[in-house]
Amino acid sequence: MRSLKRLIRPEKSLYWALLALVVWLPVPLGSNRAWAWALMEVAAFTMLAVWLVLWARDKVVVEVPLRKSWPVFALLGAWVLLLVLQITPMPVSMVEAISPESARIHGMVSVLGVAKEAITISIEPHATQIALMKTLAYIAIFFLFLALVNNRERVQRAAQVLVYAAVLHAIYGVLMHLSGVQGVYLGEDFTHGSSASGFYPNRNHFAGMLEMMLAIGIGLLIAGLADRKATSWKKVAANLIEWILSPKMLLRLSLCILVIALTTTHSRMGNTAFFASLLIAGAIGIALSKHATRNVVVLLVSLVVLDLAIVGSWFGVEKLVKRLEETTVQNVQEREEPAAYALGIIENYPVLGSGAGSFYVTFPKYRPETIPNFFDYAHNDYAQIASETGVVGIGLLGLVVAITLGVALRAQAVRRDPLMRGMSFASIMGITAILIHSWVDFNLHIPANAVFFMVLLALGWISLYMDRQPPPPTPAPAEPAKP
């Protein structure tokens, strides 16, 4: 009976349910469809409600990383209040004082015969309501990850589950690409022959997911490194055989598969962001960590040289290089134009924005005739967040990322625990990769990738505060002996 109770412990079941949810999110087109993100929201809110019931009944405790991350929750709470403010009906005079352009747009609607006594700051309140519900789900998952991934075993297991699930996604994507399959998946036309995109309609978002999972995988490898000196060739051979037969070899092969998949996406910024973030995080880790082993340097060099020069050359790196060489100023401008013209939106909605999720409604007014295409997104997360939520919104989210990076950097500098150093490396590298990639894409507006980003933020806080022992007290100086 006791073993059965242990088997169905609610808190442990929640932990595995959370991992299952995160692993599932890329499958339904990156969860970027209404029914898919609705499932995400229901699952996240249900798990959060169950955890709160368990907490109220003293079945779970609030661990240190969750308590220490209160600044992030305060900033995210302010972000939620901003979205609530955007969709709250107000008198016209009040909206005119807060956001004159929003009042003018609503006034144009009333001129058409729909008189309104109360209007909202958001010019598309329905889209803002959707964004609000997504945001609450992301915060719930961030909270649950900090609450449930609450010991070393769970941290390592969660990282392994995410990486090996990404390997399955990568294998699927590469096989579809190599076979050149064309077909319909969940109502979306897929042409896999030109590049690998996995379950994502957009190969760049597949690349974004791979960047983040590679960061976690490299963090796991760093966590398992040891600095053992070989005094003879026999010892070198013994260490090599031991490494080949160990789980580390499986992890290393998994990273090779992820690199292959990333290469076959032919995503220029995706691959650039990965290698740039690897070099940046590696340099930071070596500079800050007093406890890093020399094998960390060897690992980072091997990741760049072996994966790119050997593995990548077999699976289409030449096509990626060709795409980079053929990139013209016009290509760059085509990617930058929506963001560049979004500056006009920021100018007209500077403080609180036009409303989260409203870009597709706002942008047509600001695009010139030379841009005939319809854009749901700005293809630049920074420009879109600033245009939709103003300087207040992008400032709040910027502080969330900056504070978390500071925490992860501190973990690199002070933690001795190899697992925590590895997770802080993963947080720094993964966040940096998406920050780079976000200049020309909208990974943070894809629910699956936004959740992975929240996981990386959570790992930053876990890496500094989990099982951290206070420094030993400095012994008092001995009193001089009396003569």
Side-chain angles (χ1 to χ4, degrees):
M1 187 68 177
R2 289 181 180 178
S3 61
L4 180 60
K5 288 183 178 179
R6 284 197 296 267
L7 185 64
I8 58 174
R9 276 191 309 171
E11 192 259 358
K12 187 174 183 180
S13 300
L14 275 181
Y15 167 76
W16 286 109
L18 176 64
L19 293 185
L21 172 62
V22 176
V23 168
W24 154 259
L25 290 177
V27 176
L29 305 173
S31 291
N32 197 30
R33 296 296 182 270
W35 63 270
W37 70 59
L39 286 177
M40 173 190 72
E41 291 162 2
V42 170
F45 298 151
T46 301
M47 285 188 283
L48 178 60
V50 172
W51 189 92
L52 291 173
V53 169
L54 293 175
W55 174 73
R57 298 177 61 186
D58 293 327
K59 300 295 184 181
V60 293
V61 297
V62 178
E63 301 290 347
V64 175
L66 181 57
R67 285 191 281 109
K68 291 291 187 178
S69 61
W70 68 264
V72 171
F73 286 104
L75 291 167
L76 292 175
W79 167 267
V80 169
L81 290 177
L82 170 61
L83 300 194
V84 171
L85 179 64
Q86 287 183 335
I87 60 175
T88 301
M90 305 176 188
V92 174
S93 59
M94 185 179 295
V95 175
E96 285 178 342
I98 298 173
S99 179
E101 186 65 15
S102 292
R104 192 183 72 81
I105 295 297
H106 284 291
M108 292 174 61
V109 177
S110 65
V111 168
L112 296 176
V114 183
K116 293 184 177 181
E117 296 181 357
I119 59 177
T120 60
I121 294 173
S122 173
I123 65 171
E124 174 56 305
H126 177 67
T128 306
Q129 290 173 4
I130 293 173
L132 173 60
M133 295 303 295
K134 288 181 186 176
T135 297
L136 291 173
Y138 301 153
I139 296 173
I141 292 172
F142 177 70
F143 179 96
L144 289 166
F145 202 88
L146 287 170
L148 296 171
V149 186
N150 51 20
N151 59 52
R152 290 175 47 82
E153 180 184 355
R154 287 190 178 183
V155 171
Q156 186 161 2
R157 184 66 63 196
Q160 290 170 340
V161 167
L162 292 174
V163 171
Y164 292 137
V167 170
L168 296 179
H169 289 301
I171 292 173
Y172 170 80
V174 171
L175 290 178
M176 292 295 101
H177 168 58
L178 295 179
S179 59
V181 172
Q182 297 184 14
V184 178
Y185 173 68
L186 295 179
E188 189 77 22
D189 291 327
F190 273 78
T191 303
H192 293 282
S194 59
S195 58
S197 61
F199 293 107
Y200 290 80
N202 189 320
R203 65 183 174 194
N204 295 297
H205 302 150
F206 185 44
M209 184 269 284
L210 294 171
E211 295 161 27
M212 292 184 276
M213 294 304 101
L214 274 162
I216 295 176
I218 293 170
L220 278 174
L221 267 185
I222 290 174
L225 290 177
D227 197 21
R228 293 178 297 178
K229 295 182 179 180
T231 56
S232 65
W233 286 108
K234 182 177 180 181
K235 187 63 176 176
V236 170
N239 289 344
L240 178 62
I241 294 172
E242 180 182 351
W243 181 78
I244 291 174
L245 297 178
S246 71
K248 300 174 189 175
M249 185 61 179
L250 176 60
L251 179 58
R252 188 66 184 86
L253 291 175
S254 298
L255 294 186
C256 288
I257 293 172
L258 294 180
V259 170
I260 290 170
L262 179 60
T263 303
T264 53
T265 64
H266 304 148
S267 171
R268 290 167 291 195
M269 186 54 82
N271 283 271
T272 300
F274 164 64
F275 285 107
S277 63
L278 174 60
L279 295 175
I280 292 170
I284 290 173
I286 293 170
L288 288 184
S289 181
K290 303 173 185 177
H291 316 292
T293 67
R294 62 182 179 181
N295 285 342
V296 172
V297 180
V298 176
L299 170 64
L300 296 177
V301 172
S302 74
L303 284 167
V304 175
V305 176
L306 182 64
D307 292 347
L308 181 61
I310 299 178
V311 176
S313 64
W314 293 344
F315 289 91
V317 75
E318 69 283 351
K319 294 181 182 178
L320 174 62
V321 172
K322 185 178 179 181
R323 286 200 77 217
L324 290 170
E325 291 175 345
E326 292 176 350
T327 300
T328 63
V329 175
Q330 183 178 358
N331 296 142
V332 175
Q333 289 178 342
E334 289 175 355
R335 299 293 291 274
E336 291 180 345
E337 278 183 338
Y341 291 111
L343 295 177
I345 306 176
I346 299 171
E347 184 178 350
N348 286 339
Y349 303 86
V351 181
L352 300 179
S354 62
S358 66
F359 180 84
Y360 76 100
V361 174
T362 313
F363 183 66
K365 174 188 172 184
Y366 297 88
R367 70 181 183 187
E369 295 180 357
T370 55
I371 304 181
N373 296 330
F374 176 81
F375 285 90
D376 292 274
Y377 304 95
H379 291 265
N380 181 311
D381 281 322
Y382 305 103
Q384 183 160 347
I385 292 171
S387 67
E388 293 181 346
T389 61
V391 294
V392 174
I394 197 166
L396 290 171
L397 294 187
L399 283 173
V400 168
V401 175
I403 292 173
T404 300
L405 279 175
V407 167
L409 289 170
R410 189 179 173 199
Q412 279 286 295
V414 303
R415 293 305 301 263
R416 290 179 175 271
D417 188 326
L419 178 60
M420 297 303 122
R421 289 206 313 271
M423 292 302 99
S424 67
F425 183 95
S427 181
I428 294 168
M429 179 182 167
I431 292 172
T432 302
I434 292 300
L435 292 181
I436 294 172
H437 200 163
S438 287
W439 280 105
V440 296
D441 256 307
F442 49 100
N443 276 288
L444 295 179
H445 286 84
I446 304 302
N449 288 4
V451 167
F452 290 135
F453 190 75
M454 299 303 285
V455 168
L456 289 169
L457 293 177
L459 287 177
W461 291 89
I462 287 171
S463 67
L464 179 60
Y465 291 110
M466 177 169 287
D467 294 337
R468 186 179 176 189
Q469 302 298 325
T474 304
E479 296 184 0
K482 295 182 179 180

